[in-house]
């Protein structure tokens, strides 16, 4: 039985020289990593040396408190980076529901197979604690045939309800359900449940 041995990188004749730039991105666009939000650290790697760089791997280490912050370890390496070449490595991160409002600092390193590692760099960003939504029915209008604003026997009416998020956090996948009282029936084209999607604060 012959074991599979990974291919070793040949010893370089000239060194690589790696430089990195860091950027923080998140999905909401408010420059905070909100509770239950996904984001990423974007690492731009440039080889300013005269030799090839091989098997570049990202390593992220929190500097201080990074509780309730998830940092993905499943980031594919860059197999080869030629002189004057540039590659981008994206490291997914996310904030769990219990995250507190704080500043997070992460040390990012790019490690190279032959030891030509990039100098570590620090990136910082702010997290935002979970803010609950608060849904309220702020207005109800009745459009009836007699124009007296009342639901009367054998009368068809249109009901318009306005729902507002008066909380500080976004309400997600909001559904509204109409509950009928005794001897009240839906019209032939009416629906009893409404999908309102997401409602931002306000």
């Amino acid at each position: 039985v012959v074991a599979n041995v990974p291919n070793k990188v040949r010893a370089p004749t000239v060194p690589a020289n790696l430089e990195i730039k860091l950027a923080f991105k998140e999905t909401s666009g408010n420059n905070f990593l909100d509770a239950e939000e996904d984001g990423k650290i974007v690492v731009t790697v440039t080889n300013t040396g005269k030799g090839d760089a091989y098997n570049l791997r990202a390593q992220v280490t929190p500097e201080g408190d990074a509780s309730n912050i998830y940092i993905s370890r499943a980031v594919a390496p860059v197999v080869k980076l030629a002189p004057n070449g540039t590659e981008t490595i994206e490291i997914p991160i996310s904030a769990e529901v219990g995250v507190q409002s704080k500043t997070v600092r992460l040390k990012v390193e790019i490690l190279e197979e032959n030891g030509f590692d990039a100098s570590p760099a620090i990136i910082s960003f702010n997290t935002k604690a979970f803010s609950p939504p608060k849904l309220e029915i702020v207005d109800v209008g009745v459009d009836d045939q007699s124009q007296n604003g009342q639901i009367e026997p054998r009368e068809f009416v249109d009901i318009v309800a306005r729902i507002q998020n008066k909380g500080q956090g976004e309400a997600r996948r909001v559904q509204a359900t109409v509950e009928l009282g005794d001897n009240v029936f839906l019209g032939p084209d009416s629906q009893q449940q409404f999908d309102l999607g997401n409602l931002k604060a306000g």
Side-chain angles (χ1 to χ4, degrees), residues 2-3 8 12 19 33 38-39 41 59-60 66 68 80 85 87 90-91 108 117 146 152 164 184-185 190 201:
V2 179
K8 289 191 175 290
E19 298 179 358
L33 188 64
D38 296 325
I41 304 299
Q59 181 172 289
V60 181
N68 294 303
K80 182 180 178 180
E87 286 282 354
E90 295 186 351
I91 305 167
V108 180
D117 303 339
S146 62
E152 298 173 317
Q164 184 177 9
V184 177
F185 307 95
S190 298

Side-chain angles (χ1 to χ4, degrees), residues 21-43:
K21 293 181 179 180
L22 305 179
F24 163 69
K25 294 186 177 182
E26 42 78 39
T27 53
S28 69
N30 64 355
N31 283 329
F32 286 85
L33 188 64
D34 302 315
E36 297 189 298
E37 184 180 32
D38 296 325
K40 58 188 174 183
I41 304 299
V42 181
V43 188

Side-chain angles (χ1 to χ4, degrees), residues 32-190:
F32 286 85
L33 188 64
D34 302 315
E36 297 189 298
E37 184 180 32
D38 296 325
K40 58 188 174 183
I41 304 299
V42 181
V43 188
T44 303
V45 189
T46 302
N47 182 4
T48 61
K50 295 184 178 181
D52 293 328
Y54 294 95
N55 296 332
L56 308 185
R57 306 175 310 283
Q59 181 172 289
V60 181
T61 307
E63 298 267 296
D65 180 22
S67 55
N68 294 303
I69 300 294
Y70 170 76
I71 304 169
S72 175
R73 307 295 181 189
V75 179
V78 175
V79 176
K80 182 180 178 180
L81 185 58
N84 298 317
T86 298
E87 286 282 354
T88 299
I89 299 174
E90 295 186 351
I91 305 167
I93 60 175
S94 60
E96 298 174 353
V97 68
V99 74
Q100 298 300 308
S101 298
K102 60 188 174 184
T103 299
V104 175
R105 287 169 49 89
L106 302 177
K107 180 175 74 172
V108 180
E109 300 174 89
I110 296 297
L111 308 178
E112 195 267 346
E113 184 77 12
N114 291 305
F116 299 122
D117 303 339
S119 297
I122 301 291
I123 189 168
S124 62
F125 56 88
N126 292 321
T127 59
K128 191 174 181 182
F130 175 73
S131 297
K134 183 182 180 183
L135 296 178
E136 292 186 12
I137 299 175
V138 294
D139 184 34
V140 176
V142 178
D143 183 9
D144 62 316
Q145 293 171 323
S146 62
Q147 298 296 308
N148 63 0
Q150 297 180 9
I151 303 174
E152 298 173 317
R154 294 179 296 278
E155 185 177 43
F156 281 99
V157 301
D158 288 327
I159 306 294
V160 177
R162 298 189 185 280
I163 301 170
Q164 184 177 9
N165 179 5
K166 290 192 171 183
Q168 309 226 337
E170 183 179 40
R172 301 177 183 174
R173 298 183 293 277
V174 179
Q175 290 188 327
T177 302
V178 178
E179 295 185 1
L180 301 175
D182 294 338
N183 300 315
V184 177
F185 307 95
L186 287 175
D189 298 324
S190 298

